Amino acid sequence: MSHADLLADLHTPCLVLDEAIMRANIARMDARMSELGVTLRPHLKTVKSVDAARQVIRNGSAATVSTLREAEVFAASGVEEIFYAVGITPNKLPRILALRATGCDLIVALDSAEQARFVAEASRMAGDRIPALLEIDSDGHRAGLIPASDAVVEIGRILSDGGADLRGVFTHAGGSYEAGSEAALRTYADRERDAVVTAANRLREAGLPCPVVSVGSTPTASFATDLTGVTEARPGVYTLNDLVMAGLGVCGVEDIAISVLATVIGHQRERGWTLVDAGWMAMSRDRGTAAQPLDQGYGVVCDIDGTPIGDLVMIGANQEHGIVAPRPGATTAAPDLPVGTMLRILPNHACATAAQFDGYHVVQADGSGDLAYWPRFRGW
Ligand code: PLP
């Protein structure tokens, strides 16, 4: 059945997921990680859906999350080992311990002696060695310890001697999102590896354990060539992909698995505008491509089958109105799209756009004549 037939009765705006594209994205990353000899610990903050996560982690039972709610939902769905990759605070420890008590191997993240002390203390009080990965800064982008610093050993020792479980080190090259070339992406990937391997060596030389050496972002996982010394990678957005990833050369526009289904609601013909019923409440306010050579506005406009229409992008967004027009400088004229025409708009940032919706309307990979519905969840 054609996409047009499958989607025609949906209320717009809504979120459409092309399962065949998602599966191909997952298979590509699985193969890359096997070739590089590392375990994939996918970040599930992108899909935030148990149904989607079942496909992402079908080859294993380890995952990364960005909220405790994600940890709780995915643990309840059967994921056995979960890394909560956001700095730990004392007020989250009761939930961490409660979830660990259910049998989930939940691992926390930290990069200070202060955090190590309260994690060690909580471990002793609960009689449960809470596992922790030390965050290492590989690109000056966000948090983390300097890889070769004495602080790595000092904090590792507080955990290990204090009753917690020093599980290893991790880094996230968030700066790779601003890389301007393939060579720069490879450099970010090398820096991730070098940073965590250096920190792991410091721990081991000091007689401390470091079984996990973890790197990860979709751009670096896609361009890494040598992950010697690394044990796992944690990309997430590769599952769905988006225009920022396409702009970086990580994927093609045709590899973007989600789109917002919208309907034409009017025109400003003298300005070349078509108005749709999806504004920033549907697309999110993310303008991640604004800093890239090809600014895609609030999203690339496709026909209902998912094929981009000339140079059409969403050039402006109000809460529930999107303004669709050829991108600035385009040579093609705006096509006539009558009121009622259904369009699909590809997002700048998959995590942000998907988070605007309660679930995915899934065009199933088996070509089934029915749409599936995969609920998403929210909250912290
Ligand atoms: N690990 C951490 C700590 C992250 O913060 C993120 C994303 O923000 C990821 C992994 C996944 O990276 P990506 O979104 O590029 O797939």
Side-chain angles (χ1 to χ4, degrees), residues 13-347:
C14 65
L15 185 63
V16 173
L17 177 110
D18 189 318
E19 189 189 12
I21 297 178
M22 185 182 91
R23 282 195 183 187
N25 294 342
I26 292 168
R28 220 170 17 250
M29 188 59 83
D30 285 352
R32 253 198 90 62
M33 294 301 104
S34 310
E35 260 169 50
L36 289 165
V38 299
T39 304
L40 184 57
R41 186 194 285 278
H43 206 314
L44 300 180
K45 76 189 173 83
T46 307
V47 295
K48 268 198 214 233
S49 146
V50 169
D51 301 278
R54 287 217 167 94
Q55 304 217 8
V56 182
I57 56 173
R58 67 194 188 286
N59 294 329
S61 59
T64 309
V65 299
S66 61
T67 66
L68 284 183
R69 174 116 172 88
E70 288 165 38
E72 288 161 354
V73 171
F74 291 122
S77 80
V79 182
E80 289 161 7
E81 193 191 302
I82 298 180
F83 173 39
Y84 170 45
V86 173
I88 189 65
T89 53
N91 58 354
K92 299 209 171 79
L93 287 170
R95 274 172 82 186
I96 299 276
L97 286 164
L99 189 50
R100 287 186 51 74
T102 67
C104 173
D105 186 13
L106 183 60
I107 306 163
V108 302
L110 56 88
D111 66 356
S112 70
E114 182 192 3
Q115 289 168 305
R117 277 189 207 100
F118 65 65
V119 168
E121 190 192 343
S123 297
R124 287 194 306 274
M125 306 261 291
D128 174 11
R129 293 179 83 89
I130 300 172
L133 298 187
L134 303 189
E135 180 157 14
I136 307 300
D137 185 4
S138 56
D139 63 359
H141 182 71
R142 197 165 64 190
L145 299 160
I146 295 168
S149 63
D150 291 342
V152 170
V153 175
E154 181 205 337
I155 297 167
R157 212 177 282 295
I158 295 171
L159 288 169
S160 199
D161 294 353
D165 173 9
L166 172 59
R167 193 64 72 83
V169 290
F170 83 101
T171 193
H172 167 65
S176 65
Y177 279 61
E178 279 114 56
S181 66
E182 238 182 68
L185 286 164
R186 287 192 209 289
T187 303
Y188 274 108
D190 287 349
R191 280 198 209 140
E192 275 196 328
R193 176 203 59 213
D194 291 346
V196 282
V197 169
T198 299
N201 287 341
R202 283 240 45 195
L203 290 171
R204 290 174 188 142
E205 282 158 12
L208 292 165
C210 188
V212 174
V213 182
S214 179
V215 295
S217 74
T218 291
T220 51
S222 303
F223 283 89
T225 50
D226 176 0
L227 291 181
T228 306
V230 169
T231 63
E232 64 171 41
R234 311 178 316 275
V237 79
Y238 73 96
T239 48
L240 303 181
N241 278 325
D242 55 30
L243 292 168
V244 167
M245 289 302 121
L248 281 171
V250 163
C251 67
V253 165
E254 66 283 0
D255 300 318
I256 300 174
I258 56 164
S259 55
V260 172
L261 185 67
T263 307
V264 174
I265 57 170
H267 302 88
Q268 286 273 11
R269 287 206 164 83
E270 64 291 357
R271 295 159 113 170
W273 290 2
T274 300
L275 305 178
V276 296
D277 61 358
W280 54 254
M281 279 292 268
M283 299 309 300
S284 88
R285 275 218 175 269
D286 198 295
R287 289 277 293 105
T289 55
Q292 295 187 329
L294 189 60
D295 182 347
Q296 306 282 30
Y298 285 86
V300 164
V301 178
C302 302
D303 63 21
I304 195 167
D305 289 318
T307 306
I309 306 175
D311 283 309
L312 272 197
V313 295
M314 187 183 282
I315 60 164
N318 299 159
Q319 188 161 342
E320 301 295 353
H321 293 69
I323 302 172
V324 165
R327 76 177 82 252
T331 48
T332 52
D336 186 37
L337 300 166
V339 168
T341 305
M342 290 176 116
L343 300 169
R344 280 164 78 180
I345 304 165
L346 303 174

